[in-house]
Structures are given as C-alpha cells and as structure tokens.
Amino acid sequence: MSAETGLGAAKRIVVKIGSALLADDDGAIHHPWLSDLAADIAAMRGSGSELMIVSSGAIAVGRRLLKLQRGPRNRALRLEESQAAAAAGQIRLAHAWQDVLAHHDVAVAQILLTLEDTESRRRYLNARGTLATLLKLGVVPVINENDTVATDEIRFGDNDRLAARVAQMTSADACVILTDVDGLYSADPATDGAARHLGQVTEITPEIEAMAGAPRSADGSGGMVTKIAAARIAVAAGCRLIIADGRARRPLAALHAGARCTTFMPAANPLTARKRWIAGSLNPVGELGVDAGAVQALGQGRSLLPAGVVSVSGNFQRGDLVLVRGPDGTAVGRGLSAYSAADAGLIRGHKSSEIQRLLGYRGREEMIHRDDLVLR
Ligand code: GLU
C-alpha cells in the first residue's frame, strides 16, 4: 500500500462517492460497481477502521424515477424539480446502500444534513453526537445533503465540502473523495499535455487553488474547486484528504494497493475543536475591513482590536461569524465578533480603553479574540 495516503493506519474514514460513479447517464444505479465497493468497505471495517459514506446521486437517480430526463441529460433542473428528484432518489439510493452492505452483515443508517445543521454550533454538536453513537454501534452512516429542504442560499450544493465537514465533525483521520479523475493536476490533463500529477500536497497555496480550474465533471456539482475547498476544511481539522479515481471496480482496494491519487496532508498543528468549526463554516454574515498593522498583528497570533478595524459591513450580532479582509480586499481570516455590527461600527478605529465611553458598557477589549479567530 502506498504509505502516502496513510489510509491503512486511519481509524476513522469518510468516503465520498460522486454521482457519476454511482449512476449512469440515465440515472440507473451501477449495482455491480456498488456491490464491489461494499466489499471494499467491509474489508476496511474488517481491518479495524470505522467508515462513513457520503453518497451523492439522489438527484441523478431521482431524475430517472420521476422521468425528468427530457432533452439532453444535463438540462438544468429547476430548484423544485431537483428537490423532488432528490426526494424520490434518496430512498432508492439508501436502499441500494442497505442492500449491498447487508451482504456483508453491515447495518446502515441514513443521515441527511443541511448547511444550517453544520453552521449552528448546537445542531453541529447534535449531529456529531448521533454520528459518534452510530459508529460506536458498528453502523455505517450513509450521509447526503438534505436537498429537499435546502434552498440555494443555505446549501452546500456539493458533497465534497459536506464530506469534509463530516470528517471534521467526527474527527476522522482520512476523507477519501472518489471521483472520475485520479487527483489534482497542475493543469487540465484533458487539454494540456504538459499537465503534471500531484501526489502529495502539504500546503494549499494560491498556486494549488489556481490548479483547480473550473468544474468539469458532467454530473454532480463539484469539480476540483470544491474538492480543494473540502481539503482546506479537512486538513485544518488534522484530517488527510485523498482525491482518487473511483471508476474502476474496488477503488478502495486499489488505493490500498498504491493506486495513483492526490493526498492533502493534515496540518501539523490541527486547530482546536472550536477553531475547526470556525474554519469550516461557510456562511459569514458580515465583514470587518482591517488595516495593514492589524493584518500583521493577526499574523503574529494576536487578537483583532477595534483600533485596527477600518470598516464594518453586514448585519451581525455578537458571536456571529464574520470575515476579516485586509486593505487590499483579500480575506485574511474569519472569526466570531465580540460586538454586533452596530457596536463594531461605533468603536472601529478606536482604542479599547474608549469602548466604555463609546458604547456605554464595558465589553471585551478585542473585536475578535484570537481564540475565536482562524487565519486562512
Ligand atoms: N446531494 C446531491 C445528490 O445527492 C449531490 C451533490 C453533489 O453533486 O455533490 O444528488
């Protein structure tokens, strides 16, 4: 096995399966492939790992069931059509998983999550508790986005980030994204003969992000961009993320045998649980523009003080997640604001000793305390 993936040593693993692997162009489930994958999953469990599956495909399968295939296959569905398709397809998908894993005496449990479930800390902790209980009971959770209730603004929209979020939530050691390409390339291998395959990524630099290009997979909504966003979430949580080709039969066995893939290495100093949650959250509700001095101080691990804040936008309350932008507009981090947008607007640019005079109460000295702040 390739030591690089670290898969053999991983105790808790999330495996994400893209729609295009699970179902054909017509939305028919690839049963033989799925049964083989179930054998892989059973084998990994047999060698002592806990497995979770994030399975796409509800919409692809449901489309067929509801005869929403009119015209070219990838005619974009309207939101309510894709939600209806997801509702019909999810049952079929869950049954398919149940059937193939039952052959190996493995019980499955369905978990449908929305972005809101992972953004609200209470719901996040609840979902985490349920997943932990299922794993303890030896059950394989089969997870998907709750597409029927998620509206555009509050969707993950892709299961890559959902899988990374689940990995983070459950403190998994590895998150394997099975897709239709064997990893990350320096350019699109389909159009550029000089494209180089990357076996290992130790840091997600802007160059790495630039390699992702535009989404290109025909099915699903991911592409490389969301896979890299997923890698960012996973590695910050101390979890390695592996992008691998899932098209062949028994793709996980192939990975064990050293098949080519890209491994994003986990951060050496994983964030605390609280910071992981901040780093993985997707929906900041406001922004704080800060000056160059503040950017430097943040880089040295200090808190964000009101004095370094030059602008406040959005409508946020105390404790809400906000994005921090430097003078050139680049996002430097995100964190939980100790002040509401209104109060932040009043104290921005001022010394902390002036807070009481400006607001009439004595709040925290920091706009965002360093424990509540994650740099990107
Ligand atoms: N949740 C969607 C489905 O099950 C898939 C999202 C994705 O393509 O990643 O159909």
Side-chain angles (χ1 to χ4, degrees):
M1 178 206 319
S2 134
E4 266 186 4
T5 64
L7 211 51
K11 288 271 152 269
R12 193 170 269 191
I13 305 168
V14 175
V15 181
K16 182 258 171 177
I17 295 111
S19 303
L21 297 176
L22 250 149
D24 67 16
D25 284 4
D26 237 359
I29 294 179
H30 291 147
H31 283 287
W33 179 87
L34 197 60
S35 318
D36 280 354
L37 186 64
D40 272 0
I41 288 168
M44 286 169 83
R45 281 171 43 89
S47 52
S49 303
E50 293 171 325
L51 266 290
M52 285 165 275
I53 296 168
V54 173
S55 176
S56 301
I59 296 173
V61 170
R63 244 186 121 137
R64 174 189 175 94
L65 295 172
L66 300 186
K67 305 197 170 44
L68 287 168
Q69 304 286 78
R70 289 185 306 271
R73 165 178 170 249
N74 284 312
R75 170 182 78 85
L77 295 180
R78 292 197 310 275
L79 180 64
E80 57 281 17
E81 285 177 326
S82 48
Q83 295 186 316
Q90 183 61 35
I91 306 186
R92 184 62 65 90
L93 195 61
H95 273 289
W97 280 110
Q98 190 173 42
D99 285 349
V100 291
L101 281 163
H103 284 296
H104 302 275
D105 281 328
V106 176
V108 299
Q110 172 179 275
I111 303 229
L112 299 178
L113 290 171
T114 63
L115 183 62
E116 278 180 317
D117 298 327
T118 59
E119 300 281 286
S120 135
R121 184 132 174 100
R122 250 190 77 206
R123 285 159 76 164
Y124 173 89
L125 294 175
N126 242 327
R128 186 172 78 168
T130 307
L131 284 163
T133 307
L134 289 169
L135 292 174
K136 202 156 86 203
L137 294 171
V139 175
V140 171
V142 175
I143 302 154
N144 197 356
E145 183 160 19
N146 194 350
D147 290 307
T148 53
V149 296
T151 63
D152 267 344
E153 310 79 71
I154 55 151
R155 304 187 72 209
F156 277 100
D158 64 87
N159 278 353
D160 298 325
R161 290 176 304 164
L162 175 63
R165 209 62 167 120
V166 167
Q168 171 204 51
M169 190 185 264
T170 54
S171 304
D173 321 304
C175 177
V176 181
I177 306 235
L178 292 179
T179 181
D180 57 1
V181 56
D182 61 1
L184 181 65
Y185 285 79
S186 58
D188 185 349
T191 55
D192 187 342
R196 191 169 42 87
H197 178 267
L198 281 84
Q200 202 183 74
V201 176
T202 44
E203 198 190 345
I204 304 172
T205 58
E207 290 74 37
I208 293 288
E209 283 190 334
M211 288 175 192
R216 58 172 199 89
S217 181
D219 215 337
S221 30
M224 240 350 128
V225 174
T226 56
K227 292 179 178 52
I228 293 195
R232 202 177 263 293
I233 296 171
V235 300
C239 171
R240 62 187 64 224
L241 183 132
I242 299 155
I243 301 177
D245 193 343
R247 287 172 299 181
R249 305 277 284 256
R250 311 253 352 214
L252 296 173
L255 260 186
H256 273 280
R260 192 152 87 151
C261 62
T262 299
T263 304
F264 289 81
M265 300 303 284
N269 299 309
L271 301 170
T272 60
R274 182 178 181 77
K275 289 205 177 201
R276 282 179 199 187
W277 175 72
I278 294 171
S281 55
L282 307 175
N283 249 358
V285 285
E287 289 190 13
L288 299 175
V290 304
D291 62 22
V295 173
Q296 200 182 4
L298 298 183
Q300 292 160 357
R302 303 227 288 273
S303 298
L304 176 65
L305 301 177
V309 177
V310 292
S311 65
V312 177
S313 61
N315 183 13
F316 53 90
Q317 298 305 315
R318 194 161 72 92
D320 280 347
L321 181 82
V322 295
L323 204 63
V324 180
R325 283 196 196 278
D328 60 356
T330 39
V332 290
R334 49 181 59 214
L336 307 179
S337 175
Y339 291 92
S340 67
D343 287 355
L346 292 171
I347 61 174
R348 75 180 164 88
H350 287 277
K351 292 211 176 72
S352 298
S353 56
E354 295 174 272
I355 293 175
Q356 179 148 23
R357 179 176 63 78
L358 292 164
L359 299 183
Y361 66 88
R362 183 153 175 238
R364 292 182 78 150
E365 288 191 359
E366 308 85 14
M367 190 78 95
I368 303 179
H369 190 273
R370 61 196 176 106
D371 291 346
D372 295 337
L373 182 81
V374 177
L375 299 184
R376 70 158 310 183

